[in-house]
Amino acid sequence: AKLISNFRKNNICSKNDCEKLLAYTNNSGPLFILGTVGSGFFLSNEIGYLLLITHILASITVGIIFRNYRSTNNRSVENTVTELSFNNFSAILSNSIFSSLKTCGMILGFIIFFALIINILLTSRVLHIFNFLPFSDWITGCLISSLEITNGLNFISSISCKNISLNLIFSAFFLGYGGLSVLLQVYSIISETDLSIKPYVVGKFLHGLIASFYTFVLISFLPFFHFTL
C-alpha cells in the first residue's frame, strides 16, 4: 500500500492501475502465515504451508479478476526518477528512514488499538450475549477476526472442533480479508492520494472467499492435507 501510494504521488502509475494493484498486492506475509499462524497457532508447519499456498493462489486469482478493472487506452503517466548522487544521498536516506518509522508506528498503533478493544470485549463478557446461539464460539471468532486478524486467528485456531478443516477454512478467509485494522491502515496510507478504498475492500473480500474455497479443495482432494485434532 505504501509503495502504490508513492507510485501515485510520483505519477508513475495511473489512478486505475494503482487501484487495481492495491486490490490484490497488499497481503499477509509468508513469515506471518508460516510462523505465527502455522507453527504458532496451529502448531503445524504443514498447515502453515497449506494456508500460504492458498493465500498466494487466491491473490493471483484476484489479480486476474481485476485485470480489466476500468481499462483505458488513454493513460497520461509521466515517469519521474530522482537521480542519486552523493549530495542528496543523505537527504534521501533520512527521508526514507523517517517515512518507514512513521509507517511502522502507524501500523503498531492500529494493532494496539484494536487489540485493546478486543481485550475489553472479552474481559467485559460482552460477547457472551452469543452464548445462547449455536456455534457461539465461531461467531465470536469471526467478530474478533473482523476487527484484527492476529487475535482473531489465535481465537479461531483454539476453537474445539471434531475436524480441524473448519478452523482452516475460516482462517484462510480472514487471512485474505485482513480485517478492519488492516483496512484502516491501508486507508490512512492512501488518504494522501486520490485513490479509492472501494476496489481494495472488494478485492480483499474476494481474496478471503477464494482462499477459503482453495483451502476446502486442497483439504478435500489431497490426502496429505487431512488434519484432525
Side-chain angles (χ1 to χ4, degrees):
K2 182 68 174 178
L3 289 172
I4 292 170
S5 178
N6 289 336
F7 286 168
R8 187 58 191 146
K9 288 179 182 178
N10 296 319
N11 204 29
I12 295 174
C13 291
S14 66
K15 180 177 183 293
N16 292 342
D17 285 343
C18 285
E19 290 177 350
K20 186 188 304 183
L21 286 169
L22 192 65
Y24 72 97
T25 59
N26 190 82
N27 305 311
S28 298
L31 183 61
F32 176 72
I33 298 175
L34 295 176
T36 304
V37 180
S39 300
F41 296 159
F42 286 101
L43 305 178
S44 170
N45 293 330
E46 286 184 326
I47 289 177
Y49 283 110
L50 166 66
L51 294 175
L52 178 62
I53 291 171
T54 56
H55 194 69
I56 293 173
L57 291 176
S59 176
I60 295 172
T61 304
V62 173
I64 294 173
I65 293 173
F66 272 79
R67 70 189 184 280
N68 294 323
Y69 171 76
R70 292 183 180 177
S71 296
T72 176
N73 295 325
N74 298 320
R75 298 175 179 174
S76 56
V77 175
E78 179 183 352
N79 291 324
T80 57
V81 180
T82 303
E83 294 184 1
L84 183 62
S85 65
F86 288 106
N87 293 330
N88 61 11
F89 175 77
S90 177
I92 293 175
L93 181 61
S94 61
N95 289 336
S96 298
I97 294 173
F98 176 77
S99 178
S100 299
L101 291 175
K102 179 182 177 182
T103 303
C104 290
M106 180 270 296
I107 293 173
L108 181 61
F110 273 111
I111 292 174
I112 294 175
F113 175 75
F114 279 97
L116 179 61
I117 291 179
I118 291 171
N119 189 54
I120 292 174
L121 291 176
L122 292 175
T123 55
S124 65
R125 301 181 182 274
V126 172
L127 297 178
H128 285 196
I129 60 175
F130 299 110
N131 285 351
F132 70 95
L133 297 173
F135 314 112
S136 59
D137 286 343
W138 292 104
I139 296 173
T140 301
C142 290
L143 287 175
I144 294 175
S145 299
S146 297
L147 294 175
E148 203 277 318
I149 60 171
T150 305
N151 289 280
L153 292 178
N154 188 23
F155 189 95
I156 289 177
S157 67
S158 64
I159 296 177
S160 179
C161 186
K162 188 174 182 180
N163 194 315
I164 201 174
S165 300
L166 194 59
N167 302 67
L168 298 182
I169 291 172
F170 273 91
S171 296
F173 173 79
F174 286 108
L175 271 175
Y177 178 61
L180 183 61
S181 175
V182 174
L183 189 152
L184 291 179
Q185 292 171 35
V186 173
Y187 186 67
S188 66
I189 289 174
I190 68 171
S191 61
E192 300 176 354
T193 69
D194 59 350
L195 300 178
S196 172
I197 194 66
K198 293 179 181 178
Y200 172 79
V201 175
V202 174
K204 297 309 295 178
F205 186 74
L206 284 175
H207 190 162
L209 290 178
I210 296 170
S212 298
F213 173 74
Y214 285 156
T215 301
F216 169 76
V217 170
L218 288 180
I219 292 174
S220 301
F221 297 101
L222 296 181
F224 52 86
F225 278 140
H226 286 176
F227 308 102
T228 56
L229 290 175

